[in-house]
Structure formats: structure tokens, C-alpha cells
Amino acid sequence: MEQSILKSIIDILSRKADKEKLSDIDSELLETFQKDEWQLKYGAQDEVKNRIHQAVQAETKKKIISYNFKSTLSKIAAILIATLSIGYFLMKQGPKDTLISKEQRTSKVEASGLTTSDGAYKDLHAMKVGESFTNDKFTLVKSSAAVLRIEPNDDTKEIIQINIKTAGNETYRIELEDQSSVTLDVNSELSFPNRFVENSRIVTVEGRAYFEVQTDTARPFIVKSNKIEALVTGTSFVFSSKKDEKSASISLIEGRLQIKGNNHSKLLKPGQKGHFSPDGIKVSAFDEYETLAFTRNEFIFNDQPINEIMAVLSNWYRMEYSLKNVDPEAFRFTLKIDRKKSIQEVLEIIEMTGDLKASIVGNKIIISSMK
């Protein structure tokens, strides 16, 4: 039976299995999953699944398995350990034996890419330039490496939510169906409908995004987060609101904008930044060039300590970092760096100060003092 199951598993993961085969394998896996003989050898079910989940998160980068296979994959993880002929699936790690799938999705919340309220998923990073993703509600076209265009399906009036989330080292310019555009920064999330309704245009953001809103006085454009809200008819601004921070801000580039938050409201003019905190909304000036750096794919650090700089860089390059005998406040820098540079080139720039030495060990950046 093991060989039959393994063949079906391979068919499922390679998208060759039809619904009937998927149902059959699901039943077989469920039956075997309920047996507990394998636990004597490999440990409790939850422990085994946790080991597999941790290994997949640590080792995989690409993600192509759709949500429809998620429940089946959990059973596959357990049954593979119970079968005798799975040598090429398991890596010999003693008590930490793990199943490694080269291309596997993590959870719906954690994974970057496109998701929809009706259950669709698309790995945007894996899409080629010119490639499109289509369902019966809309079409998404990757018109360049960092530009995504949304085209509604004129044959449907059904409204669904589209969610686009970026990873720690990717940004996208998203062209919406009303000709407005959104530049979504790293580790950010944008949710919007496949088509806007007649009297309003509402989107939600977590993270940072630059909006260039097409003027439409009959349909106000509203940007929301869990803290603040921006109400405009046609303008450009940077919206910044992160879940793990109590504060949020909106920096107005052009036009007029009303910022709201926690029963407070302010009207902004170009060049003004509305900064929200639990105490209210404060308005101040801001540096437009520095604020828009991420839209030009640049890092700009203005008199910032080395630990803050390394936190940003390690996130972008998906690496860890440590400071060795370094007092962060003693090493402050003002830098402008092209995000397209390699980490080696960036570290060379930091070393040019003559006070710090940078080295890479595995996936870790080590910054040490030369003093």
C-alpha cells in the first residue's frame, strides 16, 4: 500500500491528481493517520508535525502548494514517517527527522504573494514578466519585475477582496482598476476589491505604501489600517501603519487629505505629516526625498545608529546579524544605498568608515569594532 500512497502523493504535489484521486488518497491517509503504531517509533503526532513544520519554514523559499492541499499535506507529513519506503523524503537528522518539500507554502497569513477572499493564491515572486493570473473575477498582469496591473472582469458584478503581501526584500507598484497606483514597501500588505463600488473606493494597508490616487470627486478614496484612516479624492501620499507599533503616520506629497484616528481628525496640506499616537494627531513637516526613498528602491539612513541600520539591512537581505564589541550609539551614519547592491557591496560601504569590520559567516553578518 505504501508504494501506491507515495505515487499518489507525488501526483498531488505535482498537480497531476484529479479530484477523485485526491479524495481516495485523503481517505487512505486518514485511515492510516488514525493508527498509532508509528508513534512508538517516531513520537507523538503533534511533535512530529511540529518538527516538519519548523524544517519547512527554515529551509524552503518558494511556495506553490495551494490552500486546497493544505489539510491533505498535514496528513501526508505524518503518513510519510509511517511508511517504509520514504528514504528520499526524509533527511537523516536523528531525533529531528524532517520532511523537506522544495516548494511549500506556509500559512495564509505569513506567506507573501496574492490571496483572495474566495481562496485563490499566487506566488508573485515566481511569476515571469508578461505573465498573467486570471480567475473569473479579475486578471493580474505582471507588466514588469516590480509592477502589477489589476484588470476587473467585466462579465461579473461579484465583489471579492484581493490581498497582496510583500516579503522582506520585495516591493511592488500595483496599478488598480481606477488607474490609481500603490507602491507597496517591504513586509507590507494591501487589501482592495476587484472593482470599486459606485460611491467609494476603500482599501486597507498594514506596513508602508505610497499612493497616487486618481481624482474622482464622486468616489472618495479611503485608506484604512487598524489605527488610522485617510480620506482623499485625488492626491499622493505615504501611508505608514504597522501592526506591532502604536503610532502611525501619513505624509502628504500633493493635494489635500484628511487623517482620522481614535476620534481625532486633521486636514493636511502638501509637505505636512500627520503623526498619530494614542494621545492624538500631531502635524509637522517632513523630508519628501527621504520619505519617498523606498519608491526609488533606496535605503536612506539619516544619523542612525548601526543597530538600526543593520536591522533594516538584515531584513532586506534575509540574514541575521550581530554586533561584536560595538556600542551602537558610538557608530551613527548618514547613508544612501541602492537596494539593488549586493550585501557584500553594502558592507564594503560601511567598512569605508575605517571604524568597523564586517564579515559574513553562513547566513549571519558580524559587525565588529576596529577601535
Side-chain angles (χ1 to χ4, degrees), residues 334-358:
T334 296
L335 299 169
K336 183 176 77 170
I337 302 174
D338 188 338
R339 283 175 167 180
K340 296 178 183 179
K341 288 184 178 295
S342 67
I343 184 60
Q344 289 81 4
E345 291 176 304
V346 173
L347 295 180
E348 285 176 4
I349 293 173
I350 293 176
E351 285 187 328
M352 287 174 64
T353 62
D355 296 326
L356 293 174
K357 178 177 176 58

PDB file of all heavy atoms in Angstrom, residues 334-358:
ATOM      1  N   THR A 334      25.049  58.499   8.206  1.00  0.00           N
ATOM      2  CA  THR A 334      24.123  59.066   7.231  1.00  0.00           C
ATOM      3  C   THR A 334      24.517  58.483   5.882  1.00  0.00           C
ATOM      4  O   THR A 334      25.604  58.767   5.371  1.00  0.00           O
ATOM      5  CB  THR A 334      24.211  60.603   7.204  1.00  0.00           C
ATOM      6  OG1 THR A 334      23.782  61.121   8.476  1.00  0.00           O
ATOM      7  CG2 THR A 334      23.323  61.167   6.104  1.00  0.00           C
ATOM      8  N   LEU A 335      23.645  57.646   5.336  1.00  0.00           N
ATOM      9  CA  LEU A 335      23.974  56.884   4.130  1.00  0.00           C
ATOM     10  C   LEU A 335      22.813  56.866   3.147  1.00  0.00           C
ATOM     11  O   LEU A 335      21.645  56.897   3.539  1.00  0.00           O
ATOM     12  CB  LEU A 335      24.312  55.431   4.491  1.00  0.00           C
ATOM     13  CG  LEU A 335      25.500  55.157   5.423  1.00  0.00           C
ATOM     14  CD1 LEU A 335      25.463  53.693   5.847  1.00  0.00           C
ATOM     15  CD2 LEU A 335      26.803  55.491   4.732  1.00  0.00           C
ATOM     16  N   LYS A 336      23.148  56.784   1.878  1.00  0.00           N
ATOM     17  CA  LYS A 336      22.170  56.488   0.824  1.00  0.00           C
ATOM     18  C   LYS A 336      22.701  55.285   0.058  1.00  0.00           C
ATOM     19  O   LYS A 336      23.804  55.321  -0.479  1.00  0.00           O
ATOM     20  CB  LYS A 336      21.975  57.665  -0.128  1.00  0.00           C
ATOM     21  CG  LYS A 336      20.903  57.372  -1.191  1.00  0.00           C
ATOM     22  CD  LYS A 336      20.631  58.569  -2.089  1.00  0.00           C
ATOM     23  CE  LYS A 336      21.739  58.749  -3.119  1.00  0.00           C
ATOM     24  NZ  LYS A 336      21.388  59.750  -4.152  1.00  0.00           N
ATOM     25  N   ILE A 337      21.910  54.211   0.031  1.00  0.00           N
ATOM     26  CA  ILE A 337      22.357  52.955  -0.574  1.00  0.00           C
ATOM     27  C   ILE A 337      21.303  52.428  -1.537  1.00  0.00           C
ATOM     28  O   ILE A 337      20.115  52.377  -1.196  1.00  0.00           O
ATOM     29  CB  ILE A 337      22.637  51.888   0.508  1.00  0.00           C
ATOM     30  CG1 ILE A 337      23.692  52.389   1.493  1.00  0.00           C
ATOM     31  CG2 ILE A 337      23.073  50.576  -0.122  1.00  0.00           C
ATOM     32  CD1 ILE A 337      23.914  51.466   2.675  1.00  0.00           C
ATOM     33  N   ASP A 338      21.730  52.033  -2.720  1.00  0.00           N
ATOM     34  CA  ASP A 338      20.845  51.407  -3.692  1.00  0.00           C
ATOM     35  C   ASP A 338      20.481  50.009  -3.201  1.00  0.00           C
ATOM     36  O   ASP A 338      21.361  49.200  -2.890  1.00  0.00           O
ATOM     37  CB  ASP A 338      21.551  51.326  -5.054  1.00  0.00           C
ATOM     38  CG  ASP A 338      20.637  50.861  -6.171  1.00  0.00           C
ATOM     39  OD1 ASP A 338      19.609  50.213  -5.885  1.00  0.00           O
ATOM     40  OD2 ASP A 338      20.953  51.126  -7.345  1.00  0.00           O
ATOM     41  N   ARG A 339      19.202  49.709  -3.126  1.00  0.00           N
ATOM     42  CA  ARG A 339      18.762  48.399  -2.653  1.00  0.00           C
ATOM     43  C   ARG A 339      19.197  47.256  -3.580  1.00  0.00           C
ATOM     44  O   ARG A 339      19.180  46.096  -3.183  1.00  0.00           O
ATOM     45  CB  ARG A 339      17.236  48.369  -2.525  1.00  0.00           C
ATOM     46  CG  ARG A 339      16.680  49.067  -1.296  1.00  0.00           C
ATOM     47  CD  ARG A 339      15.170  49.069  -1.349  1.00  0.00           C
ATOM     48  NE  ARG A 339      14.578  49.449  -0.080  1.00  0.00           N
ATOM     49  CZ  ARG A 339      13.273  49.526   0.144  1.00  0.00           C
ATOM     50  NH1 ARG A 339      12.422  49.265  -0.840  1.00  0.00           N
ATOM     51  NH2 ARG A 339      12.796  49.860   1.329  1.00  0.00           N
ATOM     52  N   LYS A 340      19.560  47.584  -4.799  1.00  0.00           N
ATOM     53  CA  LYS A 340      19.964  46.549  -5.749  1.00  0.00           C
ATOM     54  C   LYS A 340      21.391  46.062  -5.515  1.00  0.00           C
ATOM     55  O   LYS A 340      21.812  45.073  -6.105  1.00  0.00           O
ATOM     56  CB  LYS A 340      19.813  47.071  -7.184  1.00  0.00           C
ATOM     57  CG  LYS A 340      18.375  47.387  -7.590  1.00  0.00           C
ATOM     58  CD  LYS A 340      18.305  47.948  -8.997  1.00  0.00           C
ATOM     59  CE  LYS A 340      16.880  48.330  -9.370  1.00  0.00           C
ATOM     60  NZ  LYS A 340      16.809  48.912 -10.733  1.00  0.00           N
ATOM     61  N   LYS A 341      22.143  46.784  -4.677  1.00  0.00           N
ATOM     62  CA  LYS A 341      23.509  46.360  -4.390  1.00  0.00           C
ATOM     63  C   LYS A 341      23.506  45.050  -3.607  1.00  0.00           C
ATOM     64  O   LYS A 341      22.577  44.762  -2.854  1.00  0.00           O
ATOM     65  CB  LYS A 341      24.242  47.438  -3.581  1.00  0.00           C
ATOM     66  CG  LYS A 341      24.597  48.682  -4.371  1.00  0.00           C
ATOM     67  CD  LYS A 341      25.397  49.634  -3.529  1.00  0.00           C
ATOM     68  CE  LYS A 341      25.810  50.882  -4.309  1.00  0.00           C
ATOM     69  NZ  LYS A 341      26.729  50.553  -5.420  1.00  0.00           N
ATOM     70  N   SER A 342      24.556  44.266  -3.770  1.00  0.00           N
ATOM     71  CA  SER A 342      24.689  43.032  -3.014  1.00  0.00           C
ATOM     72  C   SER A 342      25.047  43.370  -1.576  1.00  0.00           C
ATOM     73  O   SER A 342      25.528  44.475  -1.273  1.00  0.00           O
ATOM     74  CB  SER A 342      25.785  42.147  -3.619  1.00  0.00           C
ATOM     75  OG  SER A 342      27.056  42.756  -3.455  1.00  0.00           O
ATOM     76  N   ILE A 343      24.841  42.422  -0.669  1.00  0.00           N
ATOM     77  CA  ILE A 343      25.177  42.663   0.728  1.00  0.00           C
ATOM     78  C   ILE A 343      26.673  42.896   0.893  1.00  0.00           C
ATOM     79  O   ILE A 343      27.100  43.694   1.737  1.00  0.00           O
ATOM     80  CB  ILE A 343      24.705  41.479   1.618  1.00  0.00           C
ATOM     81  CG1 ILE A 343      24.978  41.783   3.093  1.00  0.00           C
ATOM     82  CG2 ILE A 343      25.352  40.170   1.185  1.00  0.00           C
ATOM     83  CD1 ILE A 343      24.280  43.004   3.630  1.00  0.00           C
ATOM     84  N   GLN A 344      27.497  42.247   0.060  1.00  0.00           N
ATOM     85  CA  GLN A 344      28.941  42.465   0.139  1.00  0.00           C
ATOM     86  C   GLN A 344      29.292  43.913  -0.191  1.00  0.00           C
ATOM     87  O   GLN A 344      30.132  44.540   0.474  1.00  0.00           O
ATOM     88  CB  GLN A 344      29.682  41.516  -0.812  1.00  0.00           C
ATOM     89  CG  GLN A 344      29.672  40.059  -0.388  1.00  0.00           C
ATOM     90  CD  GLN A 344      28.386  39.334  -0.749  1.00  0.00           C
ATOM     91  OE1 GLN A 344      27.499  39.909  -1.390  1.00  0.00           O
ATOM     92  NE2 GLN A 344      28.291  38.065  -0.376  1.00  0.00           N
ATOM     93  N   GLU A 345      28.638  44.475  -1.217  1.00  0.00           N
ATOM     94  CA  GLU A 345      28.892  45.870  -1.600  1.00  0.00           C
ATOM     95  C   GLU A 345      28.452  46.829  -0.498  1.00  0.00           C
ATOM     96  O   GLU A 345      29.131  47.824  -0.225  1.00  0.00           O
ATOM     97  CB  GLU A 345      28.154  46.195  -2.895  1.00  0.00           C
ATOM     98  CG  GLU A 345      28.706  45.485  -4.125  1.00  0.00           C
ATOM     99  CD  GLU A 345      27.876  45.760  -5.363  1.00  0.00           C
ATOM    100  OE1 GLU A 345      26.651  45.496  -5.335  1.00  0.00           O
ATOM    101  OE2 GLU A 345      28.439  46.248  -6.356  1.00  0.00           O
ATOM    102  N   VAL A 346      27.330  46.520   0.137  1.00  0.00           N
ATOM    103  CA  VAL A 346      26.828  47.381   1.205  1.00  0.00           C
ATOM    104  C   VAL A 346      27.773  47.353   2.408  1.00  0.00           C
ATOM    105  O   VAL A 346      28.086  48.395   2.999  1.00  0.00           O
ATOM    106  CB  VAL A 346      25.416  46.935   1.630  1.00  0.00           C
ATOM    107  CG1 VAL A 346      24.954  47.722   2.860  1.00  0.00           C
ATOM    108  CG2 VAL A 346      24.436  47.135   0.478  1.00  0.00           C
ATOM    109  N   LEU A 347      28.268  46.173   2.753  1.00  0.00           N
ATOM    110  CA  LEU A 347      29.181  46.057   3.894  1.00  0.00           C
ATOM    111  C   LEU A 347      30.506  46.760   3.613  1.00  0.00           C
ATOM    112  O   LEU A 347      31.139  47.304   4.534  1.00  0.00           O
ATOM    113  CB  LEU A 347      29.410  44.584   4.231  1.00  0.00           C
ATOM    114  CG  LEU A 347      28.183  43.815   4.734  1.00  0.00           C
ATOM    115  CD1 LEU A 347      28.534  42.373   5.034  1.00  0.00           C
ATOM    116  CD2 LEU A 347      27.576  44.493   5.969  1.00  0.00           C
ATOM    117  N   GLU A 348      30.931  46.778   2.364  1.00  0.00           N
ATOM    118  CA  GLU A 348      32.154  47.495   1.997  1.00  0.00           C
ATOM    119  C   GLU A 348      31.980  48.994   2.248  1.00  0.00           C
ATOM    120  O   GLU A 348      32.913  49.673   2.674  1.00  0.00           O
ATOM    121  CB  GLU A 348      32.489  47.242   0.523  1.00  0.00           C
ATOM    122  CG  GLU A 348      33.060  45.847   0.262  1.00  0.00           C
ATOM    123  CD  GLU A 348      33.290  45.598  -1.223  1.00  0.00           C
ATOM    124  OE1 GLU A 348      33.080  46.543  -2.023  1.00  0.00           O
ATOM    125  OE2 GLU A 348      33.674  44.469  -1.581  1.00  0.00           O
ATOM    126  N   ILE A 349      30.764  49.493   1.981  1.00  0.00           N
ATOM    127  CA  ILE A 349      30.490  50.915   2.223  1.00  0.00           C
ATOM    128  C   ILE A 349      30.604  51.212   3.716  1.00  0.00           C
ATOM    129  O   ILE A 349      31.186  52.233   4.126  1.00  0.00           O
ATOM    130  CB  ILE A 349      29.081  51.281   1.702  1.00  0.00           C
ATOM    131  CG1 ILE A 349      29.050  51.179   0.180  1.00  0.00           C
ATOM    132  CG2 ILE A 349      28.681  52.684   2.157  1.00  0.00           C
ATOM    133  CD1 ILE A 349      27.671  51.357  -0.428  1.00  0.00           C
ATOM    134  N   ILE A 350      30.061  50.325   4.546  1.00  0.00           N
ATOM    135  CA  ILE A 350      30.134  50.513   5.999  1.00  0.00           C
ATOM    136  C   ILE A 350      31.581  50.437   6.481  1.00  0.00           C
ATOM    137  O   ILE A 350      32.011  51.207   7.359  1.00  0.00           O
ATOM    138  CB  ILE A 350      29.260  49.463   6.711  1.00  0.00           C
ATOM    139  CG1 ILE A 350      27.779  49.728   6.388  1.00  0.00           C
ATOM    140  CG2 ILE A 350      29.484  49.475   8.222  1.00  0.00           C
ATOM    141  CD1 ILE A 350      26.830  48.699   6.947  1.00  0.00           C
ATOM    142  N   GLU A 351      32.358  49.531   5.899  1.00  0.00           N
ATOM    143  CA  GLU A 351      33.762  49.389   6.299  1.00  0.00           C
ATOM    144  C   GLU A 351      34.614  50.589   5.897  1.00  0.00           C
ATOM    145  O   GLU A 351      35.689  50.817   6.460  1.00  0.00           O
ATOM    146  CB  GLU A 351      34.353  48.114   5.700  1.00  0.00           C
ATOM    147  CG  GLU A 351      33.895  46.830   6.390  1.00  0.00           C
ATOM    148  CD  GLU A 351      34.635  45.615   5.861  1.00  0.00           C
ATOM    149  OE1 GLU A 351      34.987  45.624   4.665  1.00  0.00           O
ATOM    150  OE2 GLU A 351      34.872  44.671   6.645  1.00  0.00           O
ATOM    151  N   MET A 352      34.158  51.352   4.904  1.00  0.00           N
ATOM    152  CA  MET A 352      34.929  52.514   4.434  1.00  0.00           C
ATOM    153  C   MET A 352      35.085  53.573   5.519  1.00  0.00           C
ATOM    154  O   MET A 352      35.929  54.459   5.407  1.00  0.00           O
ATOM    155  CB  MET A 352      34.260  53.113   3.194  1.00  0.00           C
ATOM    156  CG  MET A 352      34.435  52.269   1.934  1.00  0.00           C
ATOM    157  SD  MET A 352      33.484  52.910   0.518  1.00  0.00           S
ATOM    158  CE  MET A 352      34.280  54.491   0.267  1.00  0.00           C
ATOM    159  N   THR A 353      34.280  53.489   6.580  1.00  0.00           N
ATOM    160  CA  THR A 353      34.429  54.447   7.683  1.00  0.00           C
ATOM    161  C   THR A 353      35.756  54.224   8.404  1.00  0.00           C
ATOM    162  O   THR A 353      36.268  55.128   9.068  1.00  0.00           O
ATOM    163  CB  THR A 353      33.285  54.268   8.696  1.00  0.00           C
ATOM    164  OG1 THR A 353      33.347  52.950   9.260  1.00  0.00           O
ATOM    165  CG2 THR A 353      31.938  54.465   8.031  1.00  0.00           C
ATOM    166  N   GLY A 354      36.296  53.004   8.290  1.00  0.00           N
ATOM    167  CA  GLY A 354      37.560  52.687   8.942  1.00  0.00           C
ATOM    168  C   GLY A 354      37.425  52.292  10.394  1.00  0.00           C
ATOM    169  O   GLY A 354      38.399  51.902  11.043  1.00  0.00           O
ATOM    170  N   ASP A 355      36.202  52.372  10.938  1.00  0.00           N
ATOM    171  CA  ASP A 355      35.987  52.074  12.350  1.00  0.00           C
ATOM    172  C   ASP A 355      35.347  50.707  12.587  1.00  0.00           C
ATOM    173  O   ASP A 355      35.369  50.194  13.712  1.00  0.00           O
ATOM    174  CB  ASP A 355      35.100  53.136  12.993  1.00  0.00           C
ATOM    175  CG  ASP A 355      35.764  54.503  12.984  1.00  0.00           C
ATOM    176  OD1 ASP A 355      37.001  54.545  13.116  1.00  0.00           O
ATOM    177  OD2 ASP A 355      35.047  55.508  12.833  1.00  0.00           O
ATOM    178  N   LEU A 356      34.752  50.132  11.538  1.00  0.00           N
ATOM    179  CA  LEU A 356      34.030  48.867  11.694  1.00  0.00           C
ATOM    180  C   LEU A 356      34.532  47.835  10.691  1.00  0.00           C
ATOM    181  O   LEU A 356      34.946  48.173   9.583  1.00  0.00           O
ATOM    182  CB  LEU A 356      32.526  49.076  11.493  1.00  0.00           C
ATOM    183  CG  LEU A 356      31.793  49.922  12.537  1.00  0.00           C
ATOM    184  CD1 LEU A 356      30.356  50.145  12.113  1.00  0.00           C
ATOM    185  CD2 LEU A 356      31.857  49.275  13.918  1.00  0.00           C
ATOM    186  N   LYS A 357      34.485  46.590  11.098  1.00  0.00           N
ATOM    187  CA  LYS A 357      34.817  45.475  10.219  1.00  0.00           C
ATOM    188  C   LYS A 357      33.585  44.592  10.085  1.00  0.00           C
ATOM    189  O   LYS A 357      32.930  44.268  11.078  1.00  0.00           O
ATOM    190  CB  LYS A 357      35.986  44.659  10.774  1.00  0.00           C
ATOM    191  CG  LYS A 357      36.355  43.448   9.914  1.00  0.00           C
ATOM    192  CD  LYS A 357      37.553  42.725  10.484  1.00  0.00           C
ATOM    193  CE  LYS A 357      37.871  41.459   9.697  1.00  0.00           C
ATOM    194  NZ  LYS A 357      38.132  41.765   8.258  1.00  0.00           N
ATOM    195  N   ALA A 358      33.268  44.203   8.856  1.00  0.00           N
ATOM    196  CA  ALA A 358      32.093  43.369   8.600  1.00  0.00           C
ATOM    197  C   ALA A 358      32.514  42.046   7.987  1.00  0.00           C
ATOM    198  O   ALA A 358      33.380  41.998   7.108  1.00  0.00           O
ATOM    199  CB  ALA A 358      31.126  44.094   7.657  1.00  0.00           C
TER     200      ALA A 358
END
